[in-house]
């Protein structure tokens, strides 16, 4: 168990009005910021999707974000997926949304609300998340992809994956080396039970705009190179998951298709 989970009941479904309002304000500010960055970059409005990064937030807080317009969520830890999914799935269904893999069973009467895993995944936790998440964003080596592929095949499902690339070269970060990304993406895309949907990176932890943008631009160039190979297994690899609270605008200007935002929606995290 993760330590902060002893201090906060993440399955809690009820929050007060002031908290719900502050989360709604956060969502609206972020959606406005996305629209502004799209327009500044000359991109089509609505091209960039917002993923709410929901680690350490409870079910009630996450539903407040969904009620304010969030249509995709991402968790970091399998334990949190485990604790929150039942409540989230039920409350989403009440509102006409099918969370994660619930969309596969819902026919066409519910609107799909994608559920991603965005944090590191240990292989012994794969089976904990596969029943629920639509996409695993943090795949960064072939052996992990092979294990996910085997478990997905055993379940008769196809799971989306993004290849995480360490564009900043920072030691503390996960992700494959940028110069390995194209070969690795090809090998991952060829595995059964997986659908390679694109690339993910975490921006450089520096203040320098040029450095941050260079990493994002390089991820986009890598994605473009993948699509240009003509490899049929790579045709779905269009997503660029890049940009967080502090570097979202740069990422959108460099081509992001998914921004993962936590703090700007929910406020500072009390834990980790
Ligand atoms: C927490 C987290 C985010 C969101 O970060 P904020 O700075 O709170 O917006 C995005 N991506 C990953 C992988 C995260 O762990």
């Amino acid at each position: 168990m993760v330590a902060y989970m002893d201090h906060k009941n993440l399955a809690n479904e009820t929050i007060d009005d002031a908290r719900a309002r502050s989360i709604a304000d956060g969502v609206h500010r972020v959606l406005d910021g996305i629209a502004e960055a799209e327009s500044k970059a000359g991109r089509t409005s609505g091209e960039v999707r917002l993923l709410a990064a929901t680690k350490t937030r409870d079910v009630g807080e996450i539903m407040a974000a969904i009620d304010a317009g969030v249509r995709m969520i991402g968790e970091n830890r399998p334990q949190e997926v485990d604790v929150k999914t039942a409540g989230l799935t039920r409350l989403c269904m009440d509102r006409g949304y099918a969370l994660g893999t619930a969309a596969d069973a819902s026919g066409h009467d519910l609107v799909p609300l994608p559920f991603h895993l965005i944090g590191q995944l240990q292989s012994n936790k794969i089976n904990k998340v596969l029943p629920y998440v639509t996409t695993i964003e943090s795949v960064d080596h072939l052996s992990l992809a092979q294990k996910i592929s085997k478990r997905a095949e055993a379940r008769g499902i196809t799971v989306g994956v993004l290849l995480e690339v360490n564009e900043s070269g920072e030691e503390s970060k996960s992700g494959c080396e940028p110069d390995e990304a194209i070969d690795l993406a090809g090998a991952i895309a060829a595995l059964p039970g997986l659908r390679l949907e694109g690339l993910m990176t975490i921006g450089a932890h520096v203040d320098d705009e040029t450095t941050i943008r260079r990493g994002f631009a390089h991820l986009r160039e890598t994605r473009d190179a993948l699509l240009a190979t003509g490899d049929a297994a790579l045709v779905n690899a269009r997503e660029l998951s890049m940009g967080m609270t502090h570097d979202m605008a740069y990422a959108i200007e460099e081509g992001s298709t998914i921004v993962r935002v936590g703090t700007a929606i929910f406020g500072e995290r009390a834990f980790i």
Side-chain angles (χ1 to χ4, degrees), residues 53 55 57 76 118-119 200 202 243-246 260-264 269:
K55 58 177 177 269
R57 318 301 180 175
N76 283 67
I118 62 175
M200 182 271 227
I202 296 173
M244 307 180 10
T245 291
H246 295 295
R260 309 177 309 269
V261 179
T263 307
R269 281 177 289 275

Side-chain angles (χ1 to χ4, degrees), residues 51-55 57 74-77 117-120 137-138 164 174 200-202 241 243-247 259-269 272:
L51 175 151
T54 50
K55 58 177 177 269
R57 318 301 180 175
E75 283 288 347
N76 283 67
R77 296 183 177 81
L117 188 85
I118 62 175
Q120 281 312 103
E137 296 206 9
S138 44
E164 182 176 353
S174 45
M200 182 271 227
T201 198
I202 296 173
S241 176
M244 307 180 10
T245 291
H246 295 295
D247 53 19
V259 289
R260 309 177 309 269
V261 179
T263 307
I265 294 174
F266 298 105
E268 294 294 333
R269 281 177 289 275
I272 27 125

